[in-house]
DNA sequence: AAAAAAC
């Protein structure tokens, strides 16, 4: 055991914690063997996918679908089954063509389960939970494009809200990608600085952030009288956040009472459950068990950095691995994002930083450069923790473990899950490495691991060869699988 | 106390 490892089990620490650390170490050999076996299995799976072409390659758990008794008794026409083909969903030919052109040959599980529910008549609210990178955006975008009447292309009919500018822009791109064959399709981004002032919005679909959307409705720039659908992406975050929860509610209250409300997220913590139920009453609900939330393709690891000063050195040692694919480094504050970026650049590394202190155009440009692979390493805050889809991201680093509550008293398990979900998208694999550097961060990571039943692999700062080998392994698997895992966002950027 | 989100 290295010096660093001995720090992790110092005697004043609770027994439970020691058990965890030791069991992780004891499992190392076993896990290595299993990893090798899994690598073989993954390759076989890829081969299978080649033959089957059309399977998404996703291994998703069974759903816990809540269906009321009266609905079960209704009749068979009520689509409480999972559709297995796009052709079963009554989509327009243009929409079908758009999906197939994106290589979305068959619906993923969340798409197959949620779309028949969202498109049922009369419309009913929906609360849908599915792991990161399983195609939630394409699911609600398809629902939106299916509900909109394109004989009235200037009339606002569907509104999607997201918690960050970047995510709103990304959804806008997916609407354009899936709706590529719909003519005329008009989409507007209601985010700061993107709409001409005092001009009416003449688009059937609007994607935006809550503050700007509230503003344009109040100014009567956006006519919501014919709005049919309201989507909250990252709904738990939108409703939980003080400020944003209010804004979302105010927006909803300005819309017609008949509007169909669709809530999507990978996480719906109990805390927001009752508020979400009030926000979208009588909703169809797709839920996951807590233990089903982890994405199997993401290898989750941690490094004991011993203390805060060593974190930066460890980060620089990982730089070579970060640039094999692309990487996102999450830190707590904007200021530390700036500072670490400056330092790494001074030390000869190419790293960019993105957070909400930059102005809108700069933010758009930074993310666009990252999507195009011009920048391989991006250091950021929680602004990019949720929803952002860059298929080539193979590594996520939690430089700071996400915390929440007064005085950062609690681990933020939801944010952890969303952050690592920036890799391993749609059947791909990825790596996450979390930095532990004191008792508090150690306890926090332990808490998160226990919450989801995660097996974390410990990387030794004395053995970088092993770290390198593990990371290269997953990236190799990723390449093999990449061709069979489509991405609407990749396509959006290309067009 | 921080991140995000409005003018």
């Amino acid at each position: 055991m290295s010096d660093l490892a001995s720090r992790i089990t110092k005697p004043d620490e609770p027994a439970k914690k020691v058990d965890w650390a030791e069991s992780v170490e004891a499992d190392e050999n076993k896990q290595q063997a299993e990893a090798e076996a899994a690598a073989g299995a993954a390759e076989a799976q890829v081969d299978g996918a080649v033959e089957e072409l059309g399977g998404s390659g996703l291994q998703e758990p069974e759903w816990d679908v809540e269906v009321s008794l009266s609905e079960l008794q209704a009749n068979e026409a009520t689509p409480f089954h999972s559709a297995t083909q796009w052709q079963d969903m009554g989509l327009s030919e243009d929409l079908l063509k758009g999906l197939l052109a994106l290589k979305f040959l068959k619906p993923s599980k969340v798409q197959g389960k949620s779309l028949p529910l969202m498109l049922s008549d009369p419309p009913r609210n929906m609360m849908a939970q599915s792991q990161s990178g399983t195609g939630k955006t394409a699911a609600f975008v398809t629902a939106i494009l299916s509900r909109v009447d394109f004989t009235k292309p200037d009339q606002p009919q569907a509104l999607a809200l997201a918690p960050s500018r970047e995510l709103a822009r990304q959804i806008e791109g997916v609407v354009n990608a899936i709706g590529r064959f719909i003519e005329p399709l008009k989409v507007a981004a209601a985010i700061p600085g993107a709409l001409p002032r005092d001009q009416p919005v003449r688009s059937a679909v609007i994607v935006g952030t809550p503050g700007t959307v509230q503003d344009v409705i109040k100014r009567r720039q956006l006519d919501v009288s014919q709005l049919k659908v309201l989507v909250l992406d990252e709904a738990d975050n939108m409703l939980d956040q003080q400020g944003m929860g209010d804004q979302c509610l105010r927006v909803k209250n300005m819309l017609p009472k008949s509007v169909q409300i669709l809530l999507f997220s990978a996480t719906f913590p109990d805390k927001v459950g009752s508020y979400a139920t009030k926000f979208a009453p009588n909703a169809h609900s797709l839920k996951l068990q807590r233990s089903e939330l982890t994405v199997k393709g993401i290898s989750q690891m941690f490094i004991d950095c011993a203390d805060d000063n060593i974190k930066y050195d460890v980060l620089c040692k990982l730089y070579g691995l970060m640039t094999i694919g692309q990487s996102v480094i999450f830190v707590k504050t904007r200021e530390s994002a700036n500072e670490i970026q400056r330092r790494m650049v001074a030390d000869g590394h190419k790293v960019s930083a993105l957070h909400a202190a930059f102005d809108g155009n700069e933010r758009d440009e930074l993310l666009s450069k990252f999507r195009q692979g011009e920048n391989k390493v991006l250091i950021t805050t929680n602004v990019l923790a949720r929803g952002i889809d860059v298929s080539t991201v193979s590594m996520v680093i939690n430089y700071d473990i996400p915390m929440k509550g007064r005085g950062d008293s609690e681990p933020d398990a939801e944010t952890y899950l969303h952050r690592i979900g920036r890799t391993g998208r749609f059947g791909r694999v990825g790596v996450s490495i979390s930095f532990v550097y004191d008792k508090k961060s150690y306890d926090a990571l332990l808490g998160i691991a226990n919450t989801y039943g995660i097996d974390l692999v410990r990387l030794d700062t004395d053995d970088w060869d092993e770290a390198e080998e593990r990371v290269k392994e997953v990236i190799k698997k990723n390449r093999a699988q990449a061709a069979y895992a489509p991405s609407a966002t990749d396509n959006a950027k290309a067009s």
Side-chain angles (χ1 to χ4, degrees):
Chain A
M1 206 186 266
S2 69
D3 282 342
L4 297 179
S6 65
R7 280 174 198 261
I8 222 166
T9 54
K10 58 192 173 207
D12 59 331
E13 289 172 358
K16 195 178 170 195
K17 217 169 86 174
V18 175
D19 285 345
W20 178 69
E22 282 176 350
S23 72
V24 166
E25 294 221 343
D27 275 353
E28 288 273 309
N29 290 334
K30 202 175 106 194
Q31 278 175 354
Q32 190 124 26
E34 280 171 1
E36 275 158 28
E43 268 163 40
Q45 227 180 320
V46 171
D47 292 343
V50 177
E51 276 158 16
E52 248 181 75
L53 196 73
S56 64
L58 288 178
Q59 297 290 312
E60 292 179 37
E62 285 307 302
W63 293 97
D64 171 19
V65 186
E66 291 172 10
V67 179
S68 78
L69 193 58
S70 61
E71 283 153 0
L72 277 175
Q73 290 164 343
N75 58 51
E76 291 182 354
T78 315
F80 277 107
H81 60 278
S82 160
T84 54
Q85 297 203 69
W86 297 118
Q87 287 80 353
D88 298 340
M89 296 183 188
L91 305 175
S92 74
E93 201 175 309
D94 288 344
L95 201 38
L96 218 50
K97 270 163 69 183
L99 289 161
L100 297 180
L102 290 172
K103 298 205 176 77
F104 286 3
L105 302 182
K106 279 169 76 179
S108 73
K109 206 146 191 167
V110 66
Q111 291 159 359
K113 291 276 184 185
S114 69
L115 267 162
L117 297 171
M118 292 191 284
L119 297 178
S120 65
D121 217 17
R124 194 164 136 185
N125 295 341
M126 167 107 226
M127 191 186 310
Q129 183 181 26
S130 177
Q131 301 90 332
S132 57
T134 54
K136 293 185 287 294
T137 305
F140 69 71
V141 165
T142 302
I144 283 176
L145 292 177
S146 201
R147 282 241 178 259
V148 165
D149 174 2
F150 286 100
T151 64
K152 300 178 203 162
D154 296 342
Q155 178 66 50
Q157 296 175 60
L159 170 63
L161 297 178
S164 71
R165 171 192 192 87
E166 286 74 12
L167 187 50
R169 277 271 188 234
Q170 177 179 291
I171 295 166
E172 180 194 16
V174 174
V175 174
N176 280 315
I178 294 180
R180 200 167 101 199
F181 298 98
I182 296 172
E183 179 68 38
L185 169 65
K186 293 188 182 178
V187 192
I191 55 180
L195 286 176
R197 263 181 95 80
D198 302 321
Q199 267 182 48
V201 177
R202 298 194 193 282
S203 302
V205 182
I206 294 93
V207 184
T209 45
T212 303
V213 168
Q214 198 191 336
D215 196 43
V216 292
I217 298 175
K218 271 190 180 164
R219 295 160 164 278
R220 301 180 179 249
Q221 228 179 309
L222 178 61
D223 167 25
V224 293
S225 66
Q226 307 296 307
L227 212 77
K228 298 182 202 172
V229 189
L230 169 68
V231 179
L232 260 54
D233 196 10
E234 308 298 343
D236 58 324
N237 187 49
M238 301 288 279
L239 297 173
D240 178 45
Q241 296 251 350
Q242 60 74 244
M244 264 204 292
D246 279 357
Q247 287 173 327
C248 290
L249 190 59
R250 291 211 180 93
V251 167
K252 190 193 103 167
N253 288 340
M254 293 188 280
L255 308 182
K257 291 281 162 282
S258 61
V259 77
Q260 179 185 24
I261 298 165
L262 310 174
L263 307 182
F264 277 79
S265 184
T267 51
F268 281 100
D270 298 342
K271 194 186 156 201
V272 298
S274 62
Y275 191 51
T277 307
K278 267 182 235 157
F279 193 92
N282 195 30
H284 289 305
S285 168
L286 298 177
K287 287 199 169 180
L288 294 172
Q289 302 300 316
R290 198 157 57 169
S291 61
E292 297 172 327
L293 278 164
T294 56
V295 175
K296 298 285 177 284
I298 306 174
S299 300
Q300 300 178 53
M301 312 178 186
F302 75 100
I303 298 182
D304 181 5
C305 299
D307 73 53
D308 199 35
N309 296 321
I310 298 173
K311 285 164 75 181
Y312 178 78
D313 299 331
V314 171
L315 187 68
C316 288
K317 288 207 172 105
L318 286 170
Y319 182 80
L321 294 178
M322 292 193 281
T323 50
I324 295 176
Q326 280 180 280
S327 301
V328 182
I329 303 165
F330 285 103
V331 298
K332 186 182 160 192
T333 66
R334 301 166 173 186
E335 205 30 65
S336 59
N338 288 338
E339 174 164 351
I340 295 166
Q341 190 252 358
R342 275 197 299 266
R343 224 175 135 184
M344 287 185 85
V345 168
D347 287 337
H349 301 305
K350 196 177 177 210
V351 181
S352 49
L354 170 52
H355 52 68
F358 292 106
D359 73 39
N361 290 334
E362 217 172 342
R363 288 169 65 173
D364 290 349
E365 202 168 311
L366 276 160
L367 191 58
S368 160
K369 280 187 175 169
F370 187 65
R371 285 190 195 285
Q372 285 158 19
E374 200 174 314
N375 296 324
K376 287 192 151 193
V377 179
L378 190 58
I379 179 158
T380 190
T381 60
N382 277 343
V383 69
L384 292 192
R386 285 172 174 257
I388 297 306
D389 179 52
V390 178
S391 64
T392 42
V393 169
S394 51
M395 194 187 293
V396 169
I397 306 227
N398 281 313
Y399 190 85
D400 300 312
I401 307 284
M403 302 297 290
K404 65 179 177 185
R406 280 168 64 91
D408 281 348
S409 54
E410 278 177 82
D412 188 344
E414 287 79 30
T415 298
Y416 174 89
L417 211 60
H418 287 276
R419 281 181 176 185
I420 68 165
R422 292 323 93 215
T423 186
R425 314 242 354 127
F426 216 79
R428 294 178 184 81
V429 292
V431 179
S432 78
I433 302 179
S434 298
F435 286 8
V436 160
Y437 42 93
D438 60 6
K439 180 164 165 25
K440 188 178 170 185
S441 60
Y442 188 110
D443 285 343
L445 189 61
L446 169 64
I448 292 166
N450 285 340
T451 300
Y452 300 119
I454 295 167
D455 292 319
L456 280 164
V457 173
R458 183 174 194 280
L459 293 180
D460 200 324
T461 50
D462 291 343
D463 187 1
W464 287 104
D465 289 350
E466 192 216 336
E468 191 170 334
E469 207 173 299
R470 280 180 184 277
V471 173
K472 283 183 173 165
E473 173 89 1
V474 281
I475 289 164
K476 188 177 147 200
K477 276 197 269 175
N478 204 5
R479 284 214 190 103
Q481 191 154 359
Y484 308 100
S487 160
T489 355
D490 285 358
N491 262 277
K493 105 191 161 190
S495 63

